[in-house]
Structures are given as C-alpha cells and as structure tokens.
Amino acid sequence: MGKLYTKLALNIFWRQTLAFLLGIIIWCVADPAVAVDWTHPLSFSNAELSRRDFSGQSLQAAEFSNANMELANFTNADLRGAIMSASVMTKANLHGADLTNAMVDQVNLTKADLSDAVFKEALLLRAIFNDVNIDGADFTDAILDKAQIKELCIKASGVNSKTGVQTHDSLGCQ
C-alpha cells in the first residue's frame, strides 16, 4: 500500500508542478492588448491657437487647458470629453460641435458662436457667456451656476438639430 501511495503522490506532485509551470508560461507570454492599443489624447495645453481651424476634426479627450483659442474654428468638431479649462475662446466658432462631458470651466466665451452645439453633462462653471449665440444649443445636464443659467435663459431659443432638444428646456428655464 505504501508504494502505491508514494507513486500516486508523486504522480499528483508532477501534474501540479506541470500545471503551475504552464500557468507561469501563459502569464508571462500573454499579449497585453489593452496597453498596446491605448493612445494618448492630444494636448494643446498652454498653446497659442488663435485663428486655428479644427472644424470637423475628432478631438475626443483632447486637452486645451490655458490655451488661447480666440477666433478658432471648431465647427462640427467632436470634442467629447475635451478639457478646455481656463482658456480664452473669445469669438470662437463652436457651431454644431459636440462637447458632451467636456470641461469648459473658467473659459472666456465672449462673442462665441455656440449655436447647435451639444454641451450634455459638460462642466461650465465660471465660464463667461457675454454676447454669445446659443440658438439651438443643448445644455442637458450641464453643470452651470444659477447666475449663468439666468443669463443664458434670456437668450435661449431654437432646437438642437442632433438631439432634438429645445435650448430653453435643456437649461431648465422657467
């Protein structure tokens, strides 16, 4: 009985050792596809971008923090998840741009064209909206303070062509 038990124990030991070694080999050789496919977002932080044409471009998750984008053209650009914090965008054209989930906080948008733009769930705190065109813009679930909403509700008109949402409704105007 002792020889049979020893032979059985030795057989189990070698099977477990082989399984362990195969596991290590597979773990070491496995292709980390997620890490290989990930690309860094574009960064334009602190850049001089006045009068640049970004119209129709895919700029998802691009970073434009502290950039000068005066008179820049973002017509129909895909800016979902973009970061534009503390930038200057006076007289910029954002007509039809998609800024869903974008950070547009502390941005000077004086005289900017925001018509038909989508700002769903965007962060817009302390953004300056002096003399802006918001006809057809969608601000659904955007983060704005009460003073901004009051100011924008005075100008609110139109329906967004992509979402079908009225600007007035998206701001929660009374």
Side-chain angles (χ1 to χ4, degrees):
M1 184 84 171
K3 281 185 172 183
L4 182 61
Y5 180 75
T6 305
K7 193 173 184 180
L8 184 61
L10 196 57
N11 192 1
I12 292 173
F13 170 77
W14 283 114
R15 283 185 181 178
Q16 288 177 340
T17 303
L18 182 61
F20 177 74
L21 290 174
L22 283 172
I24 289 177
I25 291 169
I26 291 170
W27 181 73
C28 291
V29 177
D31 184 19
V34 174
V36 173
D37 293 338
W38 189 81
T39 56
H40 295 282
L42 295 172
S43 179
F44 298 98
S45 291
N46 303 305
E48 174 57 53
L49 302 169
S50 59
R51 301 182 189 273
R52 287 279 301 267
D53 186 6
F54 294 100
S55 59
Q57 292 187 31
S58 178
L59 299 164
Q60 288 184 33
E63 186 174 347
F64 295 92
S65 298
N66 299 305
N68 180 12
M69 297 178 278
E70 184 175 11
L71 294 162
N73 184 4
F74 289 97
T75 302
N76 296 315
D78 184 354
L79 293 161
R80 290 175 292 166
I83 301 169
M84 299 177 151
S85 302
S87 293
V88 175
M89 297 187 77
T90 55
K91 300 179 186 175
N93 187 351
L94 290 152
H95 174 80
D98 188 349
L99 290 109
T100 300
N101 295 312
M103 291 182 65
V104 193
D105 56 310
Q106 303 178 54
V107 175
N108 185 348
L109 293 161
T110 299
K111 297 186 179 181
D113 181 1
L114 309 179
S115 61
D116 212 36
V118 178
F119 290 98
K120 290 175 78 174
E121 300 177 2
L123 177 65
L124 297 158
L125 293 174
R126 297 192 338 187
I128 299 169
F129 293 104
N130 295 333
D131 200 23
V132 293
N133 177 2
I134 61 166
D135 291 341
D138 183 352
F139 293 93
T140 302
D141 297 325
I143 300 171
L144 296 147
D145 63 39
K146 287 182 182 183
Q148 290 172 307
I149 293 170
K150 186 177 179 181
E151 177 186 356
L152 292 173
C153 282
I154 295 168
K155 308 171 193 194
S157 66
V159 176
N160 188 278
S161 67
K162 294 174 199 77
T163 65
V165 175
Q166 291 185 10
T167 302
H168 189 268
D169 294 344
S170 72
L171 287 164
C173 301
Q174 302 299 334

